[in-house]
Amino acid sequence: MTDHSTLSHAGIGVSLVDGDPTIRRARQIMLLSERYDVRSYATGAALLADPRSRDVSCIVVDIDGIGGSGLDTLDAMRASGWRGKAILLDGGMPHATLTHAAERHGDRILHRTTGDAPLLTAIAASIDHSWSSWNAEG
């Protein structure tokens, strides 16, 4: 069994986009406690306005966030050169459009009430694939 406390995610960037300040702050603290380099945003527009957001390997985004669709935000991020993976937080059964978009890009869909452990597992899995390919190309 792996002891999570000995794993280091130091320097691995994760962006968090959620319009609910309480949830956003709690998840930010949780990710910081796991030593991720985390930046949080209230809206997709705020994420897009930050040039440093292109340097992260994973974005956790509420797809029904304030200020537009999470899918629109991810499309804009990818159009600007971002090549990471996303964790898409949805409130119900994912629509076919969301499912197809996630499959096309290798993203994961989780319910927005997902707890910390499954969210951390999904983030780690997304980084294992995208971060290693970024480093191999760079």
Side-chain angles (χ1 to χ4, degrees):
M1 180 173 211
T2 303
D3 179 6
H4 253 320
S5 65
T6 63
L7 297 177
S8 177
H9 304 291
I12 297 175
V14 175
S15 289
L16 175 62
V17 183
D18 196 309
D20 183 318
T22 304
I23 292 171
R24 187 175 64 249
R25 182 70 179 146
R27 286 191 170 144
Q28 182 179 15
I29 290 169
M30 181 267 301
L31 290 168
L32 287 169
S33 75
E34 293 292 322
R35 298 189 178 165
Y36 283 105
D37 182 10
V38 62
R39 300 187 64 78
S40 68
Y41 307 89
T43 65
L47 173 78
L48 292 166
D50 183 357
R52 295 172 291 178
S53 67
R54 278 43 167 206
D55 298 332
V56 301
S57 56
C58 181
I59 297 174
V60 179
V61 61
D62 186 332
I63 63 151
D64 295 325
I66 296 172
S69 164
L71 286 181
D72 293 342
T73 298
L74 290 175
D75 287 344
M77 285 292 291
R78 289 187 168 111
S80 73
W82 179 72
R83 296 187 340 220
K85 301 292 182 210
I87 309 300
L88 309 169
L89 303 176
D90 192 18
M93 291 298 294
H95 297 285
T97 304
L98 178 62
T99 302
H100 293 299
E103 289 171 355
R104 183 172 58 251
H105 297 290
D107 300 332
R108 287 275 313 267
I109 302 170
L110 297 176
H111 196 275
R112 75 174 39 99
T113 60
T114 295
D116 291 351
L119 182 58
L120 286 169
T121 299
I123 291 169
S126 73
I127 291 169
D128 287 344
H129 300 295
S130 64
W131 192 250
S132 62
S133 66
W134 277 5
N135 288 336
E137 293 171 11

